[in-house]
Amino acid sequence: MNSFEIKEIPGKGRAMVATKPFAVGETIFEEEPFVSRQFSWNAAYGYAACDHCMRPLETVLENVRRLANNNALIVPLAEYDPTTPWLEQFTQCQRCKVRYCSEDCRMESLNKYHRVACMGNFHTDDSHPINALNETWKKMHYPPETGTILLIVRLMAMYKQSNNKQQFLESLQSFQSLIVNTEAKIYHKMLGENFEQQMEQLFVAFCRAFADEEFAAFTTPDAFKTLMGMIGTNSQGIATSPLAEWVKKVSDLPLPDGDKAKLDEYIDDIYNKVGEFAGEFLNTEGVGLYLLQSKINHSCVPNAQSTFPYSNDIVVLKAVAAIEAGEEICISYLDECQLERSRHSRQKILKENYIFVCQCPKCQLQVTDPDETSEDEDYDDDDEMDMDDEDANMSD
C-alpha cells in the first residue's frame, strides 16, 4: 500500500498527500524516470556519463584532473572512489559507440528507445537531422542549462518503439503541462516572446528530424509548444559527481584529528583548483521527467526534498520536516538562495518559470510585504535580464 495518494485539493488542484506519518529523514518513495537525458552542453564539455542513467563514467582522479585541467593532481583514499564498483562493467553500443555504466543499462535503453535512437556511424555527423537539431538548440540555450531538446528526441524514440502507443500518450498527458495563457500573456521562459524567432527555428529543425508520418501528431506548432512546455514545467534537474560522492564518503571516515584536518585542507584545495578552471560547472548534469515526482507541488517551506543518492537518475524523495497523515507533501522548485529572497522575488521566479502564483504558508504570511526587492536582489534581476538579452543576441 502506498504511503501517499494523489488527490484534488479544492482551490488548489492536484496534490500529493501523505497517508501515514513521516519522520525527518524518512524516505517517502524512490522512482526511476519516465525519461532522462544529459544536458547537451554538459556532454559537449566532456562530462562522461552513462547514456541511460547518467551514472559517471570516470574515476574521481580523472574527474578532478579534468575539472582542474591539471594532470599532476592526486587523490588520496582512492579506495573510496564511488565509481570503483562498476568500473569493470562499462560497456557501449557497438554501432554508435555511446557508453553505458553496465550491460543492464545498455539492455534497458535498447528495449526502451535505443533501437530507434541509435544513429550508428552518423552519431558524429553534423549534417544528421538529430545532430542539426541539437546544434540549433545549443545555439539558443547556453549554460547554465535548464533543459535539452534531446529529452524530446528520446521521447520520440520511445514513442516509435512503444508497443502501446496509447498508454505512452496517456503518460505524457499526465504531466498536465500548461504552456500559454494568451489573456495574461504568460509564457514559459523557453517560449517567451523574446525567443519566438528561435523557437520557430527549433520547430523547423525538429520537423526535419521527425519527418516520418508516424510523428505527425507531434510536428504541429501547438504540439511542439506542448512538448517544450512539458519539459520546461515538469522536468527535474539531475546531477551526479564522482568528486562530490568521494568527498561525502571520506568526510564521514573516523580519522584522527590531525588526519582529518589534512583531509579537509586537501578537499578545500581541490575545490579551489577546480573552481579556478571549471567554475560552477562541477557536475554531470541533465534532466528527467518523473511520473510521481512531477505531481508534487511547490512550497517555500517544503517538507520534502528530491535527492539522488545513487549517483544516477533515480530520485529519492525524503522528508525534511515531520509530515502527518493527511498533510500535503511539498518540495521547493527554488534553490536555497532563492528561498531566502523576498516574497516578491520568489513569486516572480515561480511565475516566469512554472506559471503559477505561490500561495504557500510563507507567502501567505508575507502577503503584506511590499512588492519590491532589496538592492542585492535588484542587481540579481538586472543581471539575469542582461544574461537573457545576451543569450537572445547570441542566438540571432
Side-chain angles (χ1 to χ4, degrees), residues 341-342 344-345 348 371-386:
R341 299 179 69 174
S342 67
H344 175 72
S345 292
K348 180 176 182 288
D371 286 341
E372 58 187 33
T373 56
S374 67
E375 290 183 6
D376 288 342
E377 289 175 326
D378 282 336
Y379 173 80
D380 289 341
D381 289 341
D382 291 341
D383 186 54
E384 182 177 314
M385 190 177 301
D386 291 342

Side-chain angles (χ1 to χ4, degrees), residues 325-368:
E327 184 179 351
E328 183 180 3
I329 298 170
C330 293
I331 60 175
S332 172
Y333 298 174
L334 306 175
D335 61 33
E336 292 183 10
C337 292
Q338 291 171 331
L339 281 177
E340 296 304 314
R341 299 179 69 174
S342 67
R343 175 181 179 271
H344 175 72
S345 292
R346 296 195 311 271
Q347 295 206 340
K348 180 176 182 288
I349 296 168
L350 291 167
K351 187 175 181 181
E352 288 178 350
N353 292 283
Y354 300 98
I355 321 178
F356 73 92
V357 176
C358 184
Q359 300 292 340
C360 75
K362 184 174 181 178
C363 286
Q364 291 286 356
L365 187 65
Q366 297 174 342
V367 71
T368 58

Side-chain angles (χ1 to χ4, degrees), residues 5-9 12-17 295-297 328-330:
E5 61 180 342
I6 308 298
K7 60 187 297 185
E8 292 290 321
I9 295 181
K12 187 168 186 178
R14 183 194 63 196
M16 181 178 287
V17 176
K295 306 297 189 295
I296 307 173
N297 290 323
E328 183 180 3
I329 298 170
C330 293

Side-chain angles (χ1 to χ4, degrees), residues 9 71 73 112 130 141 148 171 180 183 197 265 315 383:
I9 295 181
N71 287 329
L73 290 179
K112 194 173 181 180
I130 298 297
H141 199 77
T148 172
S171 294
V180 181
E183 292 183 6
Q197 180 182 351
E265 184 178 340
V315 65
D383 186 54

Side-chain angles (χ1 to χ4, degrees), residues 128-156:
H128 190 284
I130 298 297
N131 291 332
L133 172 63
N134 190 38
E135 288 304 311
T136 301
W137 167 263
K138 286 165 62 181
K139 289 175 182 176
M140 66 180 64
H141 199 77
Y142 290 89
E145 296 169 271
T146 57
T148 172
I149 194 67
L150 293 179
L151 195 68
I152 294 180
V153 170
R154 185 156 287 179
L155 283 171
M156 295 298 97

Side-chain angles (χ1 to χ4, degrees), residues 289-321:
L289 293 175
Y290 296 81
L291 290 169
L292 273 181
Q293 195 266 357
S294 65
K295 306 297 189 295
I296 307 173
N297 290 323
H298 163 84
S299 173
C300 297
V301 279
N303 54 21
Q305 181 179 25
S306 297
T307 66
F308 295 88
Y310 304 127
S311 290
N312 60 13
D313 60 6
I314 296 176
V315 65
V316 177
L317 188 74
K318 287 185 175 290
V320 294

Side-chain angles (χ1 to χ4, degrees), residues 47-226:
Y47 289 78
C50 175
D51 195 62
H52 183 64
C53 77
M54 283 187 56
R55 193 189 298 274
L57 296 182
E58 59 185 352
T59 66
V60 66
L61 179 61
E62 292 169 333
N63 183 238
V64 165
R65 287 179 172 179
R66 178 175 59 79
L67 291 175
N69 194 33
N70 185 342
N71 287 329
L73 290 179
I74 60 170
V75 175
L77 302 170
E79 64 270 28
Y80 294 98
D81 186 330
T83 60
T84 299
W86 61 81
L87 275 178
E88 299 301 321
Q89 301 180 46
F90 289 0
T91 186
Q92 65 181 17
C93 170
Q94 293 305 310
R95 292 188 66 240
C96 69
K97 309 304 180 186
V98 297
R99 301 172 65 204
Y100 300 97
C101 68
S102 66
E103 183 65 12
D104 286 346
C105 271
R106 189 186 74 82
M107 289 305 300
E108 284 182 25
S109 73
L110 194 65
N111 293 330
K112 194 173 181 180
Y113 53 81
H114 197 67
R115 293 186 198 278
V116 169
C118 180
M119 294 194 295
N121 293 330
F122 294 103
H123 71 286
T124 58
D125 183 353
D126 291 342
S127 67
H128 190 284
I130 298 297
N131 291 332
L133 172 63
N134 190 38
E135 288 304 311
T136 301
W137 167 263
K138 286 165 62 181
K139 289 175 182 176
M140 66 180 64
H141 199 77
Y142 290 89
E145 296 169 271
T146 57
T148 172
I149 194 67
L150 293 179
L151 195 68
I152 294 180
V153 170
R154 185 156 287 179
L155 283 171
M156 295 298 97
M158 289 171 62
Y159 172 74
K160 187 168 184 176
Q161 199 167 314
S162 173
N163 294 323
N164 189 335
K165 289 181 170 49
Q166 183 58 39
Q167 184 180 60
F168 178 87
L169 292 174
E170 288 173 359
S171 294
L172 284 189
Q173 291 168 358
S174 75
F175 289 105
Q176 297 181 354
S177 57
L178 173 63
I179 311 308
V180 181
N181 181 326
T182 54
E183 292 183 6
K185 301 290 186 185
I186 298 174
Y187 289 80
H188 183 267
K189 62 182 176 181
M190 288 193 294
L191 302 175
E193 293 177 354
N194 292 337
F195 294 90
E196 284 185 357
Q197 180 182 351
Q198 288 83 353
M199 288 299 104
E200 176 62 26
Q201 295 170 359
L202 194 65
F203 174 61
V204 170
F206 175 77
C207 291
R208 287 174 182 160
F210 297 98
D212 293 354
E213 183 64 28
E214 191 165 6
F215 298 109
F218 300 100
T219 52
T220 67
D222 286 345
F224 182 65
K225 282 188 176 182
T226 298

